[in-house]
Amino acid sequence: MKNIIIASTSTIHGGSYLEYLLDELKVHFKNCKTILFIPYARPSGITHDEYTAKAAQAFAKINIAVKGIHEFEDAEAAIKDAEGIFTGGGNTFLLVTQLYQNKIMSTLSTTIKNGTPYLGTSAGSVICGLSMQNTNDMPIIYPPSFQTLAVIPFNINAHYLDPDTNSKHMGETRETRLKEFHSFNNIPVLGLREGSWLEVRDNTITIKGGLQARLFIANETALEIEDNTDISDLK
Amino acid sequence: MKNIIIASTSTIHGGSYLEYLLDELKVHFKNCKTILFIPYARPSGITHDEYTAKAAQAFAKINIAVKGIHEFEDAEAAIKDAEGIFTGGGNTFLLVTQLYQNKIMSTLSTTIKNGTPYLGTSAGSVICGLSMQNTNDMPIIYPPSFQTLAVIPFNINAHYLDPDTNSKHMGETRETRLKEFHSFNNIPVLGLREGSWLEVRDNTITIKGGLQARLFIANETALEIEDNTDISDLK
């Protein structure tokens, strides 16, 4: 029953917010007049109202209204009643903390598993995995747990970035960080480059967007996976 | 009584491990025959033994022996008895988790405050601040707390990196991440570029290494601070 889009980024270089995804979203949310927006990740610290207005501006182009979850008295009921749900990017530590504090992590997971169309971008995509442990974000707040929605059976690294071979910077590359994760964890991690997304329909998971994705599995060499590959067996 | 070197990185581009700091370390650890190494951060997942051997190889050049804390039955006693202490870089989440699990966070803090010479590089420097919340690392393990040694009254962002103005990547810049931190926290953060370090002697804190550092204070514009500036009043 699942109906999910898990996008690496909301915005690609040179485009406006959600622009590259709008054709896809028109189909994805075709039965929705209004979608529920979860603005908890607050990119650059903007307010829930400001962030919701930004999402509303993009969805207006495909004639869908947007209402922020913070506008509802009962966040759990808002999720259960939603025609469609979108969680935007920002800081994953903040997003996860807020989902727990508002006691909706589990309801959101169940609702998505039951088929309510869901869109995640960036942090909103990272939370679709088993844990938020492959976020690139700074730990600006201490969440009660790193466990997330688990609507897919692996983890996401959003904004996946190939190593810059000309760099003189000694900080770890993304690949080094993901390998460190696999020194202590066995969960597969899919690195989604900006412009890529996963389409989840029932139990079929497909890579979309015209780019390769990079798959990291513990104790194995990282693999490039072609666009349009069915990765439903990954776990 | 403090006697601390807080270095952004262990290694600068083109150099070997600790090479650029050796002249400084010769003076810093002048009264030490042996120093205690804390290898918990395990860069790239290497073992405690492998990491300790790497540190020992560098310190051998200035005739100082190195013993890993994992070689002692009683980690707390090892810290109290140490002539000098060095915590290496790697993953800050792992380092902090291990310091708590081995019940030595508080003893290490007290020991450093009482004057035992300490060297931190990268993650080993981040823990000198009030919290580890300005690490660049991936949350590969869930620590019991983000609070750290607090031997200086502000936080460190190691491997500080200026924005790449040519990049088409849409992930957040370091400065954006630090500003997000200040949407929720008031602790000042010093961004130390690779090659920079802080020298802490008693209560005097000075920027060293020939580079500017970048200072982030909540609700203020970020500031460049010159090399050799006394920043003892920062808090």
Side-chain angles (χ1 to χ4, degrees), chain B residues 5-16:
Chain B
I5 290 177
I6 298 172
S8 174
T9 184
S10 62
T11 313
I12 54 175
H13 185 74
S16 65

Side-chain angles (χ1 to χ4, degrees), chain B residues 94-159:
Chain B
L94 180 59
L95 170 59
V96 168
T97 302
Q98 289 282 301
L99 289 172
Y100 278 113
Q101 280 181 355
N102 290 292
K103 300 189 172 61
I104 53 176
M105 185 68 88
S106 151
T107 302
L108 181 56
S109 177
T110 308
T111 303
I112 297 170
K113 286 174 183 163
N114 285 343
T116 301
Y118 177 87
L119 166 68
T121 61
S122 193
S125 291
V126 170
I127 60 169
C128 290
L130 298 174
S131 81
M132 56 162 284
Q133 289 178 274
N134 303 102
T135 177
N136 311 307
D137 296 337
M138 201 168 260
I140 63 173
I141 191 165
Y142 184 70
S145 164
F146 284 164
Q147 304 308 302
T148 49
L149 298 171
V151 295
I152 52 173
F154 51 87
N155 276 3
I156 295 291
N157 179 249
H159 302 279

Side-chain angles (χ1 to χ4, degrees), chain A residues 142-213:
Chain A
Y142 184 70
S145 165
F146 284 163
Q147 304 307 301
T148 48
L149 299 171
V151 295
I152 52 172
F154 51 88
N155 276 2
I156 295 291
N157 179 250
H159 302 277
Y160 181 75
L161 193 61
D162 294 291
D164 173 358
T165 48
N166 292 318
S167 173
K168 293 182 174 173
H169 189 69
M170 302 300 288
E172 294 88 346
T173 65
R174 191 68 58 81
E175 180 150 345
T176 301
R177 294 174 192 281
L178 292 170
K179 284 182 180 164
E180 282 182 357
F181 173 73
H182 279 143
S183 299
F184 302 94
N185 302 275
N186 286 315
I187 303 171
V189 184
L190 191 68
L192 279 179
R193 294 184 174 90
E194 294 178 349
S196 279
W197 66 90
L198 294 183
E199 185 187 84
V200 187
R201 303 279 178 238
D202 297 331
N203 288 314
T204 305
I205 309 177
T206 315
I207 298 170
K208 294 284 180 180
L211 302 166
Q212 293 179 320

Side-chain angles (χ1 to χ4, degrees), chain B residues 64-79:
Chain B
I64 294 174
V66 171
K67 202 161 173 189
I69 195 167
H70 62 291
E71 300 171 44
F72 291 84
E73 285 223 356
D74 184 340
E76 193 178 1
I79 287 172

Side-chain angles (χ1 to χ4, degrees), chain B residues 18-234:
Chain B
L18 295 177
E19 190 179 13
Y20 79 104
L21 275 174
L22 282 180
D23 284 347
E24 203 69 30
L25 298 181
K26 212 169 175 170
V27 179
H28 188 63
F29 290 122
K30 63 180 182 298
N31 296 324
C32 306
K33 284 187 181 156
T34 304
I35 60 166
L36 180 73
F37 181 57
I38 301 181
Y40 293 155
R42 297 180 56 186
S44 302
I46 62 172
T47 66
H48 292 153
D49 278 343
E50 284 164 347
Y51 199 12
T52 304
K54 187 177 173 175
Q57 194 178 23
F59 274 94
K61 296 175 189 166
I62 53 171
N63 299 312
I64 294 174
V66 171
K67 202 161 173 189
I69 195 167
H70 62 291
E71 300 171 44
F72 291 84
E73 285 223 356
D74 184 340
E76 193 178 1
I79 287 172
K80 286 180 178 166
D81 295 344
E83 297 171 51
I85 300 171
F86 168 34
T87 304
N91 186 287
T92 314
F93 290 86
L94 180 59
L95 170 59
V96 168
T97 302
Q98 289 282 301
L99 289 172
Y100 278 113
Q101 280 181 355
N102 290 292
K103 300 189 172 61
I104 53 176
M105 185 68 88
S106 151
T107 302
L108 181 56
S109 177
T110 308
T111 303
I112 297 170
K113 286 174 183 163
N114 285 343
T116 301
Y118 177 87
L119 166 68
T121 61
S122 193
S125 291
V126 170
I127 60 169
C128 290
L130 298 174
S131 81
M132 56 162 284
Q133 289 178 274
N134 303 102
T135 177
N136 311 307
D137 296 337
M138 201 168 260
I140 63 173
I141 191 165
Y142 184 70
S145 164
F146 284 164
Q147 304 308 302
T148 49
L149 298 171
V151 295
I152 52 173
F154 51 87
N155 276 3
I156 295 291
N157 179 249
H159 302 279
Y160 181 75
L161 192 61
D162 294 292
D164 173 0
T165 48
N166 292 317
S167 173
K168 293 182 175 172
H169 189 70
M170 302 301 286
E172 294 88 347
T173 65
R174 190 68 57 81
E175 180 149 347
T176 300
R177 295 174 193 281
L178 292 170
K179 284 182 180 165
E180 282 181 358
F181 172 74
H182 280 141
S183 298
F184 303 94
N185 302 275
N186 286 314
I187 303 171
V189 184
L190 191 68
L192 279 179
R193 295 184 174 90
E194 294 179 346
S196 279
W197 68 90
L198 293 183
E199 184 187 86
V200 187
R201 304 277 177 242
D202 296 331
N203 289 313
T204 305
I205 309 178
T206 315
I207 297 171
K208 295 283 180 181
L211 301 166
Q212 292 178 319
R214 194 160 177 86
L215 176 62
F216 297 86
I217 292 180
N219 305 315
E220 294 187 18
T221 307
L223 274 182
E224 289 292 318
I225 312 280
E226 296 300 320
D227 187 41
N228 279 316
T229 302
D230 178 339
I231 54 165
S232 313
D233 291 337
L234 181 62

Side-chain angles (χ1 to χ4, degrees), chain A residues 50-87:
Chain A
E50 285 165 347
Y51 199 13
T52 303
K54 186 177 173 175
Q57 195 179 23
F59 274 94
K61 296 175 188 165
I62 53 171
N63 300 309
I64 294 174
V66 170
K67 203 162 174 189
I69 194 166
H70 62 291
E71 300 171 46
F72 292 83
E73 284 225 354
D74 183 339
E76 193 177 2
I79 287 173
K80 286 180 178 167
D81 296 343
E83 297 172 52
I85 300 169
F86 167 33
T87 305

